[in-house]
Each structure stands twice: as structure tokens, then as C-alpha cells.
Amino acid sequence: MKKKKVIVAVTGASGAVYAKVLFDQLTHLQEQIAQVGVVMSDNAKQVWEFELGNHDYSNYDFTFYHKNDFNAPFASGSAKYDTMIIVPCSMGTLGRIAHGISNDLISRAADVILKERRKLIAVVRDTPFSLIHINNMKIVTEAGGIICPANPSFYSLPKTIEEVAATVVSRVVDLAGFEQDSYRWQE
């Protein structure tokens, strides 16, 4: 199996636990990964610190890039990153991606992934959706992206917030094409 190069973008939407659980999962899948590049918005860092009560995002052994670092390798299609996961994905970020506004590294990387016909997974975390949100999701889907709302499942009987978040992250990891052990319905 070819090792994948992955971009993880974390935006300022509520739901930092989803990013944390994804970081943990990717750490456990290192044998399938060639590179993980991470970009976090300023709001994402603030939300992580508020919701999780720590700065542990900086403890992961990934390569972190500043939100305006257009010299990051995945700012160009020639770097051949396979997948981009935006978790959680704010509606503002989704709107900028849907309309081709590449004003930071997150939206530029998403633009690159879409133009290169690679896999973009946006874990949107907002409710309810306005018609603007729905139309932006439609545009990104039509451009080849995958909208994966942060809607947890409960048939695995999760007991903690992290276990609830893991029901969404497991789906994201599957969508990204990684092999993993996770709860499967009726297995």
C-alpha cells in the first residue's frame, strides 16, 4: 500500500475534540502515512484551548504550518498530497472554498486538492444549516469534495465525549482510505 500524504486543517468551529481524536487516530496509522501537514487558524487554537483546556495540539509529531505560509508544500499541486481533511470545518471556511477565495493556507490547500481531483473531506460542524450553507456544501460536493457532517452515531454505545467524536472520526478515516479497526454495524 502506498503511504499517503495528508493535510489536516483545523478551523475555529466548535468541536476541537474531533481534531484531537483525528490527530490521535493518524498517530496510530503512521505505517500508512508518509506525511501529515497541519494548518490551524488562530480561532482553532483558541477553541481548542477553551474546549479542551490545553495546548496539546502542539505535542503531535506532525509538521505544522502557519495559516499564511503559502510556501507550504501543499500550497501547490506538485507536492502531490493525497487527501485534505478539514476538521472541524467552519461555514466561513466552507464558503471561501466553495467560491474559490484562497486568502489563507487552508482555503488555498483546499483549492489545490480540488483542482488536482484529489480527496477533500470537510467535517462541517454547525446547526442548523442556512440555505447559504447548503448551497456552499452543494458547490463543494459538485467540485469533488466530500461533506461529512460531524453527526455522531450511537449504536457503538459510546461512553465518553471522545468516544462519541470517534464515531465521526472513524467515518472520516474510512473516507480518507485508511485501513483501521473500528466499530462496524452488525459485525
Side-chain angles (χ1 to χ4, degrees):
M1 173 188 290
K2 176 187 167 252
K3 290 187 172 191
K4 296 180 186 294
K5 293 166 77 175
V6 181
I7 307 157
V8 178
V10 186
T11 74
S14 179
V17 66
Y18 292 108
K20 182 206 178 299
V21 172
L22 179 63
F23 285 179
D24 292 341
Q25 280 286 76
L26 293 176
T27 298
H28 288 104
L29 297 172
Q30 283 300 315
E31 70 280 354
Q32 298 177 53
I33 297 172
Q35 179 71 38
V36 176
V38 177
V39 58
M40 296 179 73
S41 71
D42 294 337
N43 288 344
K45 293 173 185 176
Q46 290 175 0
V47 169
W48 182 300
E49 292 163 15
F50 178 77
E51 292 181 350
L52 302 179
N54 61 52
H55 300 86
D56 288 354
Y57 53 84
S58 61
N59 296 338
Y60 288 90
D61 191 25
F62 304 137
T63 306
F64 284 78
Y65 296 89
H66 187 269
K67 67 178 183 171
N68 292 319
D69 183 359
F70 287 91
N71 289 316
F74 47 83
S76 170
S78 65
K80 298 188 86 166
Y81 274 71
D82 302 286
T83 304
M84 180 175 185
I85 302 166
I86 308 172
V87 58
C89 181
S90 70
M91 288 302 165
T93 299
L94 186 72
R96 287 186 292 280
I97 293 166
H99 295 282
I101 300 168
S102 298
N103 64 339
D104 64 8
L105 184 56
I106 294 173
S107 53
R108 172 59 187 165
D111 187 47
V112 167
I113 289 289
L114 290 173
K115 80 178 182 68
E116 297 292 331
R117 308 297 193 264
R118 298 193 182 120
K119 195 171 284 191
L120 173 68
I121 303 165
V123 183
V124 295
R125 218 278 346 125
D126 210 339
T127 191
F129 296 136
S130 74
L131 183 57
I132 294 167
H133 300 155
I134 292 167
N135 284 333
N136 286 338
M137 286 187 263
K138 178 180 179 279
I139 291 167
V140 169
T141 300
E142 289 173 341
I146 299 170
I147 304 299
C148 182
N151 297 336
S153 63
F154 296 94
Y155 48 76
S156 62
L157 305 177
K159 308 249 183 308
T160 67
I161 290 174
E162 284 195 11
E163 287 176 358
V164 170
T167 68
V168 172
V169 171
S170 289
R171 181 62 62 95
V172 170
V173 170
D174 281 348
L175 288 169
F178 292 108
E179 295 296 323
Q180 66 171 330
D181 291 325
S182 67
Y183 183 88
R184 305 289 176 184
W185 176 247
Q186 297 294 336
E187 286 186 9

